[in-house]
């Protein structure tokens, strides 16, 4: 079954064609990074406008590159949340129009669930339960994957996402955008023990994070220290604090939940120190670590189309009243879209 996936939740306009939830025939991503660069972060209004400008071309490219025609598409899967409301609306409106025009089923996808599914595109066999860590500019989420489609949210950031903290710290230090790769690179030559920044954890909250305090600590350090250490040391020390909290909480969760795998997703999965630390903690133990290729870690539509196949088989489809949900929560899934395989069927429009 050929599914077209559409993703516009943040600053990437993406479309992909995936066969049977597994074989990626095309995966087109139009990044807007250069338009947001001058502002040091994603500007929601710009994101929506740029999505509108390119979405048609991105979808056409995805179909062409797959070597098929629109007639071959059997369903459309689209991200409807969480994300930027205006940005999500572009993808959802486009998907609805196409579904209506072609009389195709419309499958609503939770962006975070798709980030977890991304790993299945490369590793179809993952032993569960797993702890999934979705870390990007917009998310810092720790999720227990009981089975594909059955999740429990363990914790999340209470303020800034980890990637957002990287971007804001880099902006403050005048390093450029996006800050994650720049800080990661600088940190290689820095001393990660030079400055002991606070770990972004929350008292009495075992699996939640708070990255705003760490960002403020770095800003305060540069403001109040007369002779600050070289920027490499600041970068390495910041990174150590940022990664330390993630790794220790994930390992605690693995133990508490008797998990046998760790799944990483989101743009921060590219971070070299995070990978190094997770590798070190899992090597020689009965815990498998799964990190998809970077193109599948960052926002893409292959993960939307891939997950769409399973949602379709589970009967999860929407009529044309589908709306975006920018704050879509993990807890809501079970209620609204049900588990894979046992989901209740959503209303189907008369014209399907
Ligand atoms: O998944 P993504 O492309 O977009 C969303 O935010 O949804 O992730 C982008 C984020 C940015 O905040 C960027 O600074 C961060 O991922 N990032 C990194 C690294 N590469 C990208 N953060 C830390 N280390 C990296 N190597
Ligand atoms: Zn994302």
């Amino acid at each position: 079954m050929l599914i077209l996936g559409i993703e516009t939740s943040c600053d990437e306009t993406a479309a992909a064609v995936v066969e049977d939830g597994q074989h990626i025939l095309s995966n087109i991503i139009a990044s807007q990074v250069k338009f947001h660069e001058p502002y040091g972060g994603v500007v929601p209004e710009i994101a929506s406008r740029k999505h509108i400008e390119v979405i048609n071309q991105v979808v056409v490219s995805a179909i062409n590159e797959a070597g098929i025609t629109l007639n071959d598409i059997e369903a459309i899967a689209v991200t409807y949340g969480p994300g930027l409301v205006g940005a999500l609306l572009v993808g959802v409106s486009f998907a609805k129009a196409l579904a209506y025009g072609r009389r195709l089923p419309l499958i609503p996808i939770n962006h975070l669930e798709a980030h977890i599914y991304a790993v299945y595109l490369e590793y179809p066999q993952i032993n569960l339960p797993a702890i999934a860590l979705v870390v990007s500019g917009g998310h810092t989420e720790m999720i227990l994957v009981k089975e594909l489609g059955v999740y429990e949210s363990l914790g999340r950031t209470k303020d800034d996402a980890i990637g957002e903290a990287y971007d804001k710290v880099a902006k403050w230090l005048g390093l450029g955008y996006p800050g994650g790769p720049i800080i990661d690179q600088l940190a290689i030559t820095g001393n990660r023990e030079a400055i002991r920044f606070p770990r972004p954890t929350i008292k009495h909250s075992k699996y939640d994070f708070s990255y705003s305090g760490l960002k403020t600590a770095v800003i305060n350090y540069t403001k109040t220290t007369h002779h600050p250490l070289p920027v490499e040391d600041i970068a390495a020390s910041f990174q150590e604090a940022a990664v330390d909290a993630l790794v220790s909480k994930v390992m605690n969760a693995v133990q508490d939940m008797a998990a046998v795998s760790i799944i990483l997703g989101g743009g921060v999965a590219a971070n070299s120190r995070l990978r190094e630390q997770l590798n070190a903690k899992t090597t020689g133990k009965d815990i498998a670590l799964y990190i998809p290729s970077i193109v599948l870690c960052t926002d893409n539509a292959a993960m939307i189309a891939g997950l769409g196949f399973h949602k379709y088989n589970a009967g999860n489809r929407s009529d044309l009243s589908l709306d975006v949900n920018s704050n879509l929560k993990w807890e809501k899934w079970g209620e609204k879209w049900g588990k894979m395989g046992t989901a209740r069927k959503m209303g189907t429009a008369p014209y399907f």
Side-chain angles (χ1 to χ4, degrees):
M1 179 182 192
L2 291 179
I3 296 190
L4 171 70
I6 296 177
E7 155 64 43
T8 62
S9 67
C10 190
D11 62 340
E12 263 101 27
T13 319
V17 178
V18 176
E19 187 177 14
D20 296 339
Q22 202 63 58
H23 309 291
I24 302 173
L25 303 191
S26 64
N27 190 17
I28 306 293
I29 303 165
S31 170
Q32 304 177 352
V33 71
K34 66 171 186 284
F35 302 108
H36 300 287
E37 198 175 347
Y39 306 95
V42 176
V43 182
E45 181 66 19
I46 295 177
S48 319
R49 287 173 189 276
K50 292 294 163 194
H51 285 313
I52 291 172
E53 285 173 20
V54 302
I55 188 156
N56 201 48
Q57 189 52 48
V58 167
V59 170
V60 168
S61 301
I63 289 168
N64 288 343
E65 194 163 298
I68 59 164
T69 71
L70 197 48
N71 287 336
D72 300 314
I73 297 292
E74 295 170 83
I76 300 171
V78 63
T79 305
Y80 77 109
L84 301 171
V85 63
L88 287 164
L89 270 168
V90 177
V92 167
S93 305
F94 191 96
K96 283 180 6 180
L98 199 55
Y100 178 53
R102 307 294 302 189
R103 308 293 190 262
L104 290 172
L106 180 66
I107 310 160
I109 297 291
N110 180 316
H111 179 80
L112 292 171
E113 185 177 13
H115 267 303
I116 295 174
Y117 185 78
V119 80
Y120 282 87
L121 290 166
E122 291 177 323
Y123 306 98
Q125 294 299 330
I126 292 180
N127 288 333
L128 300 175
I131 301 296
L133 195 59
V134 182
V135 277
S136 74
H139 339 285
T140 310
E141 300 269 345
M142 195 155 61
I143 304 114
L144 173 65
V145 184
K146 295 177 179 173
E147 52 186 271
L148 195 53
V150 184
Y151 312 93
E152 188 182 325
S153 171
L154 296 178
R156 63 170 64 95
T157 184
K158 293 294 178 197
D159 38 59
D160 291 352
I162 179 170
E164 190 182 353
Y166 265 91
D167 295 340
K168 287 178 175 170
V169 164
K171 185 179 180 184
W172 173 257
L173 296 174
L175 299 174
Y177 175 82
I182 303 170
I183 289 181
D184 196 3
Q185 190 61 35
L186 274 175
I188 293 171
T189 50
N191 173 5
R192 45 183 180 254
E193 264 129 48
I195 311 152
R196 172 85 193 173
F197 287 125
R199 269 44 186 165
T201 58
I202 296 181
K203 260 194 200 141
H204 314 303
S205 181
K206 208 168 174 193
Y207 303 124
D208 287 324
F209 303 92
S210 166
Y211 276 94
S212 161
L214 172 59
K215 169 196 70 188
T216 309
V218 177
I219 293 172
N220 286 344
Y221 170 81
T222 59
K223 273 186 177 168
T224 57
T225 312
H226 290 303
H227 301 290
L229 289 168
V231 71
E232 289 82 1
D233 289 346
I234 301 175
S237 300
F238 160 75
Q239 175 153 286
E240 195 61 8
V243 169
D244 197 17
L246 280 184
V247 173
S248 59
K249 291 202 178 216
V250 167
M251 295 316 294
N252 283 343
V254 166
Q255 197 167 15
D256 295 350
M257 306 294 157
V260 291
S261 305
I262 297 173
I263 296 170
L264 208 53
V268 182
N271 186 265
S272 60
R273 185 68 181 147
L274 178 59
R275 286 167 173 247
E276 183 181 69
Q277 287 279 65
L278 285 177
N279 265 319
K281 297 275 185 201
T282 51
T283 305
K285 300 208 177 97
D286 285 336
I287 308 163
L289 175 62
Y290 294 98
I291 310 177
S293 312
I294 290 303
V295 70
L296 294 176
C297 278
T298 53
D299 287 351
N300 67 86
M303 65 185 188
I304 307 300
L307 180 59
F309 175 72
H310 298 277
K311 293 291 177 191
Y312 177 84
N313 284 339
N316 290 148
R317 62 192 79 173
S318 174
D319 59 27
L320 294 181
S321 66
L322 177 67
D323 199 359
V324 303
N325 185 343
S326 63
N327 290 316
L328 188 60
K329 295 278 190 297
W330 290 89
E331 292 82 343
K332 288 267 160 67
W333 298 4
E335 296 158 28
K336 196 167 181 193
W337 303 114
K339 299 198 283 184
M340 278 188 201
T342 58
R344 87 187 158 88
K345 201 165 180 160
M346 296 302 292
T348 306
Y351 25 73
F352 286 141

